[in-house]
Amino acid sequence: MKQNSVAAGWLSVLCAGLGQWYNKQYSKGLLFVLIHATGVYLISTTLLTKIKGLITLGDQGQHLEKVGKIFKNVPGDHSIFMMIYGVLSVIIVALYIVFYILNIRDAVAVGRKRDSGSAVKGLNNDIFPWALLALPIIGVLFFTIMPIVFTSLLAFTNYASPNHIPPKNLVDWVGFDTFHKLFNMNVWADTFTGVLTWTIIWAVLATVTCYFGGILVALLINQQGIKLKGFWRMLFIIPYAIPQFVSLLIMRNMLNEKFGPINQYFRYFGLEGLPWLNDPFWAKVSVIVVNMWIGIPVSMVLVMGILTTIPKDLYEAADVDGASAWMKFRNITMPYVLFATAPILITQFAGNINSFNVIFLLTSGNPATMKYNNAGQTDLLVTWLYKLTLDFNQYNIAATVAILLFLIIAVMSVLLYSRTRSFKEEDMIQ
Amino acid sequence: MKPRILFSYLLLILIAIACIYPALWTILSSFREGNSLFSDTIIPKKWTLDHYRDLFVERTDRAIPYATWYLNTLKVAVASMVLGTLIQLLTAYAFSRFRFKGRKSMLMIVLILGMFPGFLSLIAIFTILNTLNLLDSLWALILVYSAGAALGMFVAKGFFDTIPRSLEEAARIDGASHMKIFVSIILPLSRPIITYISLTTFAGAWVDFIFARAILRTPENWTLAVGLWNIIDAYNSTEFTLFAAGCVLVAIPITLLFMYTQRFLVDGLTAGASKG
């Protein structure tokens, strides 16, 4: 008694939509046939040539050609265009294949239902969530997934100024050459290790200072005997309320070596003042301190929220047992806060690795140094990548750095994901 | 008073000064006469409103079209707010209310993609827009801001998860369609979360620097973030008081918005930890 599912399945293999037609889902069948026809038409007419272009990236760049008696400049293949269209074509073909597989599975599933005699649901019910998701999926596909694919591809090309910028020249696949360059070629390797080391030091220091700073400030306000708690909280949240780029640009001026008010106060006390943003060491100190100013309010708000959720009876029980304030803090408050905020610590660490604004707006990665290629002493991997792309047109190196960053964050995301309880327990509230 | 409390108050006052000083200094500088960064006293000797007036006057000797920047930022922020909020609500609702095939794996994809900072794809977006000659347009910026909005849907999903299913089931028994349920039951109940999402996307677009600087190339198309950065970069400390006035005008709407959304803040921040 399995005839319906088998027949519908094979019909759908033959041509998408036929199985649905056989199952008497006429509108669905028609829709599928139409999608199938468009898919086949597109693939046979244009998509295959585009994909071929993705593989070759063009044979001939801009060149001179003899037309009659004079040489003329003839536009050649534009490798990057070919790459973009190639990637798009691959995505469309992949979507088409997924559609085809789903179509067969759907025909078989509906056929089985008919075999067992249960009712067949209408099209409307299944399709509504997908109708809701259509727009978001298109957005994410084109502005998140495709760029990621494209970036990964760029890392394996030689797309960089001055010798490989279309339309003048062709861009070619070079395999792992760029990675090799980044790890082994003197100038690039020095810059990469230097910037990577500072990125990690920065991420650790920035996370630790903001996290514990936030806990300290929150506990300071929450002490017994401190009045106007709401008022202090409000005051301390101000740095978070001001747009980041504004406060960072202001800080940049405040730390100005010659005219800034900070050094002015130093001079007022007869001191020389410090080269806050111009000396490699002090620039690093400055970015970390300024980052504390921006980051502590966030942790503070978070910790204060958690403090209110600690059950009061724990403290009451401790009082009955005659515990001191310090013991209560040590054995109840601290474990509770640390436990509740541990996942945030990973998020903040990952965030700090990519903390673009603080570095770029405050120091622009400077002070500059001869040792590095296109990077300064306070540059993080992200700001370096940004400069490589926008200012120096070293797209392949930038893409390689991006891939490495991507891997670091991927590891952290997995770590975080495995800790996200609610993802597994999400249906509990209903 | 106990010494511990006294010491705590002292510390609190110190922190408070550190928190307020930059803002206070900027506001006072914006009312100071002259244009230099340097000043003998923090409180201006002579007060003036000239810098605020000057911001909106186009002068030939410098390229600071502040009014245009303000308008551009407003356009970009409002458009991305509308588009981004819509996309985020649709995604969150679909994931919260429907159990369709492939849902779990798609949730996983959203979770992982959401952790990647958008600017890792900046190289690709920049080169693609550059090659296709689409750089330097506000629409490109709006698309970039709102297209990825779906990935930030977890707060909204957490909110939809708490709306009882029985409401919809009752409506469905009465014969309401999915669309009808979404529009006339879910949306009115979601006012707080809609406010939260639209305000955060608005603020996000208002203050973004990374994409704005990469995409917008000519001064007439800049947003405030790029423009102000450029004043500091190009004029260094010679137009400081003007810059300070510009900063005050940028910060006011966002700071006010922030005060208004403060009550959502803790929810938003902890959502990642407890709700997922």
Side-chain angles (χ1 to χ4, degrees), chain B residues 78-101:
Chain B
V78 169
S80 345
M81 177 181 84
V82 173
L83 268 174
T85 310
L86 182 75
I87 287 182
Q88 209 163 336
L89 283 178
L90 291 180
T91 326
Y93 183 66
F95 278 120
S96 165
R97 275 308 195 260
F98 296 92
R99 298 289 178 266
F100 47 90
K101 262 184 218 154

mmCIF file of all heavy atoms in Angstrom, chain B residues 78-101:
data_model
loop_
_atom_site.group_PDB
_atom_site.id
_atom_site.type_symbol
_atom_site.label_atom_id
_atom_site.label_comp_id
_atom_site.label_asym_id
_atom_site.label_seq_id
_atom_site.Cartn_x
_atom_site.Cartn_y
_atom_site.Cartn_z
ATOM 1 N N VAL B 78 16.317 57.010 10.387
ATOM 2 C CA VAL B 78 14.875 56.717 10.339
ATOM 3 C C VAL B 78 14.593 55.555 9.388
ATOM 4 O O VAL B 78 13.877 54.609 9.731
ATOM 5 C CB VAL B 78 14.073 57.973 9.922
ATOM 6 C CG1 VAL B 78 12.636 57.606 9.610
ATOM 7 C CG2 VAL B 78 14.120 59.004 11.025
ATOM 8 N N ALA B 79 15.206 55.597 8.199
ATOM 9 C CA ALA B 79 14.938 54.530 7.234
ATOM 10 C C ALA B 79 15.419 53.187 7.754
ATOM 11 O O ALA B 79 14.703 52.181 7.655
ATOM 12 C CB ALA B 79 15.618 54.846 5.899
ATOM 13 N N SER B 80 16.607 53.138 8.351
ATOM 14 C CA SER B 80 17.074 51.842 8.859
ATOM 15 C C SER B 80 16.228 51.394 10.037
ATOM 16 O O SER B 80 16.047 50.195 10.251
ATOM 17 C CB SER B 80 18.530 51.867 9.289
ATOM 18 O OG SER B 80 19.208 52.943 8.835
ATOM 19 N N MET B 81 15.718 52.348 10.811
ATOM 20 C CA MET B 81 14.862 51.988 11.935
ATOM 21 C C MET B 81 13.613 51.263 11.430
ATOM 22 O O MET B 81 13.277 50.181 11.914
ATOM 23 C CB MET B 81 14.476 53.240 12.708
ATOM 24 C CG MET B 81 13.526 52.996 13.851
ATOM 25 S SD MET B 81 13.099 54.522 14.684
ATOM 26 C CE MET B 81 11.766 55.106 13.653
ATOM 27 N N VAL B 82 12.945 51.868 10.437
ATOM 28 C CA VAL B 82 11.709 51.269 9.938
ATOM 29 C C VAL B 82 11.979 49.883 9.337
ATOM 30 O O VAL B 82 11.366 48.883 9.729
ATOM 31 C CB VAL B 82 11.055 52.194 8.877
ATOM 32 C CG1 VAL B 82 9.868 51.510 8.243
ATOM 33 C CG2 VAL B 82 10.649 53.493 9.527
ATOM 34 N N LEU B 83 12.954 49.828 8.424
ATOM 35 C CA LEU B 83 13.252 48.556 7.757
ATOM 36 C C LEU B 83 13.755 47.502 8.748
ATOM 37 O O LEU B 83 13.272 46.369 8.774
ATOM 38 C CB LEU B 83 14.326 48.781 6.699
ATOM 39 C CG LEU B 83 13.847 49.087 5.295
ATOM 40 C CD1 LEU B 83 15.020 49.428 4.407
ATOM 41 C CD2 LEU B 83 13.110 47.872 4.752
ATOM 42 N N GLY B 84 14.714 47.905 9.561
ATOM 43 C CA GLY B 84 15.335 46.972 10.491
ATOM 44 C C GLY B 84 14.352 46.412 11.490
ATOM 45 O O GLY B 84 14.328 45.206 11.760
ATOM 46 N N THR B 85 13.489 47.278 12.046
ATOM 47 C CA THR B 85 12.514 46.820 13.023
ATOM 48 C C THR B 85 11.558 45.820 12.389
ATOM 49 O O THR B 85 11.258 44.769 12.971
ATOM 50 C CB THR B 85 11.710 48.012 13.580
ATOM 51 O OG1 THR B 85 12.620 49.014 13.978
ATOM 52 C CG2 THR B 85 10.873 47.588 14.749
ATOM 53 N N LEU B 86 11.103 46.151 11.185
ATOM 54 C CA LEU B 86 10.170 45.260 10.488
ATOM 55 C C LEU B 86 10.802 43.879 10.310
ATOM 56 O O LEU B 86 10.211 42.848 10.676
ATOM 57 C CB LEU B 86 9.816 45.864 9.131
ATOM 58 C CG LEU B 86 8.812 45.048 8.327
ATOM 59 C CD1 LEU B 86 7.437 45.225 8.925
ATOM 60 C CD2 LEU B 86 8.824 45.447 6.864
ATOM 61 N N ILE B 87 12.017 43.858 9.793
ATOM 62 C CA ILE B 87 12.690 42.589 9.532
ATOM 63 C C ILE B 87 12.886 41.805 10.827
ATOM 64 O O ILE B 87 12.619 40.598 10.896
ATOM 65 C CB ILE B 87 14.052 42.858 8.852
ATOM 66 C CG1 ILE B 87 13.811 43.294 7.412
ATOM 67 C CG2 ILE B 87 14.934 41.638 8.896
ATOM 68 C CD1 ILE B 87 15.059 43.548 6.636
ATOM 69 N N GLN B 88 13.285 42.502 11.860
ATOM 70 C CA GLN B 88 13.542 41.819 13.125
ATOM 71 C C GLN B 88 12.264 41.223 13.721
ATOM 72 O O GLN B 88 12.265 40.099 14.206
ATOM 73 C CB GLN B 88 14.170 42.805 14.096
ATOM 74 C CG GLN B 88 15.075 42.132 15.100
ATOM 75 C CD GLN B 88 15.986 43.133 15.762
ATOM 76 O OE1 GLN B 88 16.264 44.177 15.212
ATOM 77 N NE2 GLN B 88 16.445 42.836 16.947
ATOM 78 N N LEU B 89 11.168 41.997 13.644
ATOM 79 C CA LEU B 89 9.903 41.498 14.189
ATOM 80 C C LEU B 89 9.438 40.260 13.435
ATOM 81 O O LEU B 89 9.025 39.261 14.042
ATOM 82 C CB LEU B 89 8.822 42.578 14.097
ATOM 83 C CG LEU B 89 8.887 43.681 15.130
ATOM 84 C CD1 LEU B 89 7.782 44.679 14.875
ATOM 85 C CD2 LEU B 89 8.755 43.111 16.529
ATOM 86 N N LEU B 90 9.498 40.317 12.097
ATOM 87 C CA LEU B 90 9.053 39.182 11.294
ATOM 88 C C LEU B 90 9.836 37.925 11.654
ATOM 89 O O LEU B 90 9.265 36.858 11.892
ATOM 90 C CB LEU B 90 9.246 39.484 9.797
ATOM 91 C CG LEU B 90 8.349 40.547 9.189
ATOM 92 C CD1 LEU B 90 8.660 40.721 7.721
ATOM 93 C CD2 LEU B 90 6.892 40.170 9.372
ATOM 94 N N THR B 91 11.167 38.073 11.720
ATOM 95 C CA THR B 91 12.002 36.918 12.019
ATOM 96 C C THR B 91 11.682 36.355 13.400
ATOM 97 O O THR B 91 11.485 35.150 13.558
ATOM 98 C CB THR B 91 13.494 37.325 12.005
ATOM 99 O OG1 THR B 91 13.684 38.314 11.033
ATOM 100 C CG2 THR B 91 14.372 36.143 11.738
ATOM 101 N N ALA B 92 11.651 37.251 14.381
ATOM 102 C CA ALA B 92 11.434 36.794 15.749
ATOM 103 C C ALA B 92 10.086 36.089 15.865
ATOM 104 O O ALA B 92 9.972 35.035 16.499
ATOM 105 C CB ALA B 92 11.493 37.979 16.708
ATOM 106 N N TYR B 93 9.068 36.662 15.221
ATOM 107 C CA TYR B 93 7.741 36.074 15.312
ATOM 108 C C TYR B 93 7.724 34.689 14.675
ATOM 109 O O TYR B 93 7.189 33.726 15.260
ATOM 110 C CB TYR B 93 6.719 36.993 14.645
ATOM 111 C CG TYR B 93 5.310 36.490 14.763
ATOM 112 C CD1 TYR B 93 4.698 36.428 16.011
ATOM 113 C CD2 TYR B 93 4.599 36.064 13.647
ATOM 114 C CE1 TYR B 93 3.412 35.951 16.137
ATOM 115 C CE2 TYR B 93 3.306 35.589 13.763
ATOM 116 C CZ TYR B 93 2.723 35.535 15.005
ATOM 117 O OH TYR B 93 1.455 35.050 15.133
ATOM 118 N N ALA B 94 8.337 34.572 13.495
ATOM 119 C CA ALA B 94 8.344 33.275 12.823
ATOM 120 C C ALA B 94 9.025 32.217 13.681
ATOM 121 O O ALA B 94 8.532 31.099 13.821
ATOM 122 C CB ALA B 94 9.047 33.398 11.466
ATOM 123 N N PHE B 95 10.143 32.586 14.283
ATOM 124 C CA PHE B 95 10.880 31.596 15.071
ATOM 125 C C PHE B 95 10.203 31.299 16.392
ATOM 126 O O PHE B 95 10.306 30.192 16.920
ATOM 127 C CB PHE B 95 12.304 32.075 15.330
ATOM 128 C CG PHE B 95 13.228 31.803 14.186
ATOM 129 C CD1 PHE B 95 13.870 32.835 13.537
ATOM 130 C CD2 PHE B 95 13.440 30.504 13.762
ATOM 131 C CE1 PHE B 95 14.707 32.583 12.470
ATOM 132 C CE2 PHE B 95 14.278 30.238 12.699
ATOM 133 C CZ PHE B 95 14.907 31.286 12.051
ATOM 134 N N SER B 96 9.496 32.293 16.940
ATOM 135 C CA SER B 96 8.883 32.076 18.240
ATOM 136 C C SER B 96 7.612 31.243 18.132
ATOM 137 O O SER B 96 7.320 30.427 18.999
ATOM 138 C CB SER B 96 8.570 33.427 18.870
ATOM 139 O OG SER B 96 7.686 33.257 19.938
ATOM 140 N N ARG B 97 6.852 31.436 17.037
ATOM 141 C CA ARG B 97 5.509 30.885 17.020
ATOM 142 C C ARG B 97 5.331 29.643 16.161
ATOM 143 O O ARG B 97 4.358 28.916 16.312
ATOM 144 C CB ARG B 97 4.540 31.958 16.525
ATOM 145 C CG ARG B 97 4.095 32.850 17.633
ATOM 146 C CD ARG B 97 3.586 31.996 18.764
ATOM 147 N NE ARG B 97 2.835 32.753 19.721
ATOM 148 C CZ ARG B 97 3.298 33.191 20.884
ATOM 149 N NH1 ARG B 97 4.557 32.924 21.222
ATOM 150 N NH2 ARG B 97 2.539 33.872 21.707
ATOM 151 N N PHE B 98 6.232 29.402 15.241
ATOM 152 C CA PHE B 98 5.996 28.290 14.318
ATOM 153 C C PHE B 98 7.052 27.225 14.502
ATOM 154 O O PHE B 98 8.214 27.522 14.767
ATOM 155 C CB PHE B 98 5.993 28.790 12.873
ATOM 156 C CG PHE B 98 4.873 29.740 12.603
ATOM 157 C CD1 PHE B 98 5.050 31.101 12.754
ATOM 158 C CD2 PHE B 98 3.626 29.264 12.236
ATOM 159 C CE1 PHE B 98 4.006 31.983 12.536
ATOM 160 C CE2 PHE B 98 2.584 30.132 12.011
ATOM 161 C CZ PHE B 98 2.771 31.500 12.163
ATOM 162 N N ARG B 99 6.625 25.975 14.392
ATOM 163 C CA ARG B 99 7.575 24.873 14.454
ATOM 164 C C ARG B 99 7.646 24.271 13.061
ATOM 165 O O ARG B 99 6.894 23.356 12.733
ATOM 166 C CB ARG B 99 7.100 23.831 15.474
ATOM 167 C CG ARG B 99 6.997 24.351 16.883
ATOM 168 C CD ARG B 99 8.383 24.588 17.451
ATOM 169 N NE ARG B 99 8.327 25.144 18.800
ATOM 170 C CZ ARG B 99 8.366 26.455 19.063
ATOM 171 N NH1 ARG B 99 8.448 27.324 18.083
ATOM 172 N NH2 ARG B 99 8.352 26.892 20.294
ATOM 173 N N PHE B 100 8.516 24.847 12.218
ATOM 174 C CA PHE B 100 8.588 24.372 10.839
ATOM 175 C C PHE B 100 9.868 23.575 10.660
ATOM 176 O O PHE B 100 10.743 23.567 11.519
ATOM 177 C CB PHE B 100 8.536 25.537 9.864
ATOM 178 C CG PHE B 100 9.452 26.668 10.212
ATOM 179 C CD1 PHE B 100 10.745 26.700 9.729
ATOM 180 C CD2 PHE B 100 9.009 27.705 11.047
ATOM 181 C CE1 PHE B 100 11.585 27.731 10.051
ATOM 182 C CE2 PHE B 100 9.860 28.740 11.380
ATOM 183 C CZ PHE B 100 11.146 28.760 10.887
ATOM 184 N N LYS B 101 9.946 22.913 9.516
ATOM 185 C CA LYS B 101 11.117 22.081 9.246
ATOM 186 C C LYS B 101 12.373 22.938 9.138
ATOM 187 O O LYS B 101 12.354 23.995 8.534
ATOM 188 C CB LYS B 101 10.913 21.332 7.923
ATOM 189 C CG LYS B 101 10.412 19.918 8.151
ATOM 190 C CD LYS B 101 10.316 19.198 6.821
ATOM 191 C CE LYS B 101 9.100 18.308 6.805
ATOM 192 N NZ LYS B 101 8.604 18.059 5.471
#
